[in-house]
Amino acid sequence: MPAELPEHVARTRNGQPATVLEAISEALWEEMERDDRVFLMGEDIGAYGGAFKVTRGFLEHFGPSRVVDTPIAEGGFTGAAAGAAHMGLRPVVEMQFMDFISPAYDVLTNYIATSLYRGSGPLPLVVRGPVGGGNRGGPFHSQNVEMAFFHTPGLKIVYPSNPRDAKGLLKSAMRDDNPVIFEEHKGLYRAPFCREVLPPDDYVIPLGRARTALEGENITIVTYGLMVHRSLEAAAELARDGIRAEVIDLRTLLPLDEDAIAASVTKTGKLLIVHEDTRTGGIAGEIAIRMNERAFEWLDGPILRVTAIDSPVPFSGELEDYFLPSTQDVVTAARYLVEY
């Protein structure tokens, strides 16, 4: 291993189990080694190594022209990244917290997402950063932002649930010629229950394809991110009662792999959608109507959803626990639906 290789990247390359954070860091490192057009932009990602230390050691190896510390101006540096992409580079923009992406909403939706359609050519750009609650971060550091951009043609949205997918999906996003919003649940970054040995080869996972995290026959649970783990915990509890739940991990939200969802629903006849995002306008509504259109004849009960409540993310721990969907919430909804 080169002397300058960060310790956490060296460890995962040597076959040690990787966290989601380490998998993301390794994906960035490998793509920067592979393609000198790739560079990083964001607040405190250089000398400080990023708020969560994803880019620790990158500045020393790749230099300040490829690891660029930015001012606190998300709209400005996202626009600068778009200009760099137009000139043939492949920028990866880090939002210190994805909550702060809102100043860049205009440039992302009105300019970046429409670029190819308007004839300006491909715009290879990734905007990545941490999302999600459970860490007592309050309303400014805990949001899930996927549905703010889900309505925008021209964007792709990715939300992994485990280290292997995080690395493979991020590498695919960085090689894609379209703009990608890449959400990383901070509750999975260093989670002890979410570590795995990464394949040693240069692998990618195609965008737009869900995976079956658990096979079952009595009910389909569609979910993504941290809620995959909550849903698997619920499935284990349901299995003790003889209920076999099938858990579908979406991985990519836009484009949505509705074929995978429909295939599962036609097998089980029951659909429960679980996401951490708030209820109104969440992706559960879109999935529900698509399955109503595609798989109505196979449904043997109403489509249900388990989500966060319609509220800003509370700072109080007790209130945040009440706000977020729990494993028991999933179990209760699944039992109701199976018995319907």
Side-chain angles (χ1 to χ4, degrees), residues 228-301:
V228 172
H229 300 274
R230 297 286 179 266
S231 298
L232 290 172
E233 291 168 0
E237 183 171 338
L238 292 165
R240 291 193 283 270
D241 296 332
I243 300 171
R244 295 187 60 210
E246 182 149 293
V247 179
I248 303 297
D249 179 359
L250 292 175
R251 303 198 292 193
T252 301
L253 308 185
L254 193 65
L256 184 66
D257 189 356
E258 60 181 272
D259 289 341
I261 304 170
S264 181
V265 170
T266 56
K267 177 172 68 171
T268 68
K270 303 287 177 67
L271 175 57
L272 175 64
I273 306 158
V274 181
H275 60 69
E276 186 180 312
D277 195 13
T278 48
R279 189 173 184 85
T280 300
I283 198 172
E286 181 66 26
I287 294 172
I289 191 61
R290 292 195 192 190
M291 291 306 103
N292 184 68
E293 293 167 346
R294 288 195 54 171
F296 181 80
E297 294 86 353
W298 286 272
L299 286 169
D300 192 28

Side-chain angles (χ1 to χ4, degrees), residues 81-97:
H86 277 311
M87 298 304 294
L89 299 178
R90 306 186 75 88
V92 180
V93 173
E94 177 181 303
M95 295 289 162
Q96 196 168 85
F97 290 85

Side-chain angles (χ1 to χ4, degrees), residues 70-139:
T70 66
I72 303 175
E74 287 79 7
F77 63 71
T78 303
H86 277 311
M87 298 304 294
L89 299 178
R90 306 186 75 88
V92 180
V93 173
E94 177 181 303
M95 295 289 162
Q96 196 168 85
F97 290 85
M98 274 292 199
D99 310 60
F100 308 153
I101 200 173
S102 53
Y105 182 83
D106 176 41
V107 69
L108 279 165
T109 57
N110 283 328
Y111 184 79
I112 291 172
T114 63
S115 177
L116 186 59
Y117 175 82
R118 290 183 287 101
S120 299
L123 209 156
L125 182 151
V126 176
V127 179
R128 52 156 295 271
V131 297
N135 294 278
R136 311 323 187 203

Side-chain angles (χ1 to χ4, degrees), residues 138-261:
F140 299 131
H141 301 82
S142 308
Q143 297 176 66
N144 290 276
V145 303
E146 56 267 23
M147 296 311 290
F149 299 96
F150 186 82
H151 182 65
T152 304
L155 297 178
K156 296 184 178 182
I157 303 173
V158 181
Y159 200 144
S161 68
N162 60 76
R164 183 181 182 279
D165 285 357
K167 180 180 178 181
L169 290 167
L170 182 54
K171 289 170 77 75
S172 285
M174 294 169 71
R175 297 179 189 185
D176 201 295
D177 284 334
N178 300 281
V180 180
I181 295 175
F182 196 92
E183 300 191 44
E184 307 157 6
H185 199 292
K186 67 179 76 68
L188 294 176
Y189 267 165
R190 298 182 175 91
F193 60 82
C194 192
R195 299 169 186 253
E196 57 187 330
V197 175
L198 301 176
D201 56 316
D202 177 26
Y203 74 96
V204 295
I205 295 175
L207 305 185
R209 297 184 189 173
R211 74 179 180 100
T212 302
L214 180 68
E215 292 190 359
E217 58 190 21
N218 302 122
I219 184 173
T220 297
I221 302 175
V222 173
T223 185
Y224 56 94
L226 178 63
M227 290 298 113
V228 172
H229 300 274
R230 297 286 179 266
S231 298
L232 290 172
E233 291 168 0
E237 183 171 338
L238 292 165
R240 291 193 283 270
D241 296 332
I243 300 171
R244 295 187 60 210
E246 182 149 293
V247 179
I248 303 297
D249 179 359
L250 292 175
R251 303 198 292 193
T252 301
L253 308 185
L254 193 65
L256 184 66
D257 189 356
E258 60 181 272
D259 289 341
I261 304 170

